[in-house]
Amino acid sequence: MTGQVINVLSIKGGVGKSTIVKLLSLVADALGLKVCIIDMCENSSIATGFFRDRDSFDKSAYDWFIGDAKPSEVIQQFEDSNIYYIPSDERICSFSDWVNKNIPKVRQLQTLCSKIEPLKKLFDIIVIDSHPTATTDLVHYAIAASDYCVIPCEVDKDAVNGAYRCCQIITDYQLAGFSIDYGIVFNKVDLGVKANAQLQQMKQSFINLGVPETKFLGNVRYSKTVTTTKNDGVMLNRTHNKYAENVMNDMRAVSDRITFALKQNEVEA
Ligand SMILES: Nc1ncnc2c1ncn2[C@@H]1O[C@H](COP(=O)(O)OP(=O)(O)O)[C@@H](O)[C@H]1O
Ligand SMILES: [Mg+2]
């Protein structure tokens, strides 16, 4: 499997989208896979999270999208890793306006697909950090270009609605003939007994809404190692750290499930 496009999708900010993007990339890197992260979030937290100042880039995803930069001018590499990324900035929000002005309606949904296509030969996995709102077309360009959507969900009753909305959006794409699948990752999971009961309740809410249990990709525990930039470095530099290792193991399990789903998808396609 090469050139698989994975979109980490949430219509709410703060649920761990960028974190899951980073962890997924770190897991893939550890497996020797070549990863390219496409940041489509205006605050470009992918770059910042991996030590680089978001203002230190001449060109970003926006320039590439509108044809003012070649991929080679926007792709950055994290030191000593197989992880590459395309930074973003606040201009990304106006990309849908640019598309409306410059691309015929019938081709608009394909805008990102055609941009990403040549990258598929260069990378094993392409991970998109999506824009955290359902009301911009940006989200739809990203979904239309993806093979799989990972939907992070916090353990909190209010989080069910946002994540379920994402499931519905992907289901609509499937019904429209797109070969795309999705799964939910429960993030910031507390390992205590009470919290576990709440998690089970939440899973039941999804099942009651018609989301099958097979869509649950696993849990990523809450850990302070995730919250500081310094510790992204711990993970990236593979420094021994018990807490970081636990989180990485959680993510490895999730990653295996995604790989399995992608293979199923290929067989069915
Ligand atoms: N598993 C986790 N454990 C602890 N903190 C987490 C975890 N996942 C995310 N966070 C923290 O939650 C905040 C929001 O996460 P982030 O990935 O930036 O969300 P989003 O990209 O969806 O806005 C960040 O401070 C991040 O460090
Ligand atoms: Mg983010």
Side-chain angles (χ1 to χ4, degrees):
M1 275 200 316
T2 65
Q4 298 286 334
V5 183
I6 299 174
N7 180 9
V8 181
L9 175 71
S10 158
I11 56 173
K12 248 179 70 178
V15 298
K17 206 157 42 66
S18 303
T19 302
I20 299 294
V21 168
K22 281 187 270 184
L23 292 174
L24 201 56
S25 307
L26 288 164
V27 167
D29 173 57
L31 292 171
L33 300 174
K34 207 170 161 193
V35 191
C36 184
I37 302 173
I38 303 175
D39 198 334
M40 291 188 64
C41 217
E42 57 187 322
N43 54 10
S44 199
S45 57
I46 291 301
T48 319
F50 276 127
F51 294 138
R52 283 285 297 271
D53 181 349
R54 72 185 75 154
D55 297 325
S56 65
F57 309 101
D58 290 338
K59 298 205 166 181
S60 73
Y62 180 81
D63 302 286
W64 170 49
F65 289 166
I66 67 163
D68 274 357
K70 289 186 284 211
S72 59
E73 293 176 277
V74 289
I75 297 178
Q76 310 289 334
Q77 183 184 10
F78 293 113
E79 274 171 50
D80 301 326
S81 78
N82 286 315
I83 305 174
Y84 296 75
Y85 68 106
I86 300 177
S88 181
D89 58 52
E90 57 289 337
R91 290 176 302 157
I92 200 84
C93 297
S94 61
F95 179 56
S96 45
D97 295 335
W98 184 90
V99 171
N100 278 320
K101 264 196 216 119
N102 295 282
I103 308 283
K105 201 83 190 159
V106 67
R107 289 203 339 246
Q108 290 186 359
L109 207 50
Q110 302 299 317
T111 314
L112 222 56
C113 290
S114 46
K115 281 281 158 188
I116 291 178
E117 198 55 42
L119 298 190
K120 291 186 181 179
K121 286 190 224 70
L122 303 173
F123 297 96
D124 298 302
I125 300 180
I126 295 161
V127 191
I128 304 176
D129 191 355
S130 254
H131 201 278
T133 163
T135 53
T136 161
D137 289 343
L138 274 184
V139 171
H140 294 280
Y141 307 149
I143 295 171
S146 302
D147 298 297
Y148 196 87
C149 271
V150 176
I151 304 168
C153 181
E154 283 185 76
V155 184
D156 164 9
K157 262 204 234 113
D158 295 339
V160 174
N161 286 339
Y164 178 58
R165 179 75 197 106
C166 293
C167 302
Q168 283 180 308
I169 294 172
I170 304 307
T171 307
D172 282 340
Y173 275 80
Q174 290 173 331
L175 291 172
F178 283 77
S179 171
I180 185 168
D181 201 2
Y182 73 89
I184 301 170
V185 177
F186 296 97
N187 185 32
K188 307 191 196 181
V189 172
D190 182 333
L191 300 179
V193 176
K194 206 169 140 207
N196 186 50
Q198 205 189 347
L199 174 63
Q200 297 315 320
Q201 254 180 18
M202 258 185 75
K203 288 186 173 173
Q204 194 55 50
S205 310
F206 278 110
I207 292 169
N208 295 345
L209 286 164
V211 177
E213 216 168 328
T214 50
K215 300 295 185 198
F216 303 154
L217 297 173
N219 310 329
V220 175
R221 75 192 67 195
Y222 181 91
S223 167
K224 286 203 180 89
T225 41
V226 185
T227 53
T228 60
T229 310
K230 192 169 143 269
N231 284 309
D232 280 336
V234 169
M235 291 180 182
L236 190 58
N237 296 321
R238 304 163 194 99
T239 310
H240 182 71
N241 173 308
K242 185 175 84 183
Y243 303 103
E245 198 45 44
N246 286 338
V247 173
M248 285 291 279
N249 282 336
D250 291 344
M251 200 61 215
R252 254 174 226 129
V254 167
S255 172
D256 285 347
R257 292 287 309 277
I258 298 171
T259 308
F260 180 76
L262 280 169
K263 282 195 179 135
Q264 293 279 102
N265 221 10
E266 266 193 344
V267 173
E268 283 162 23

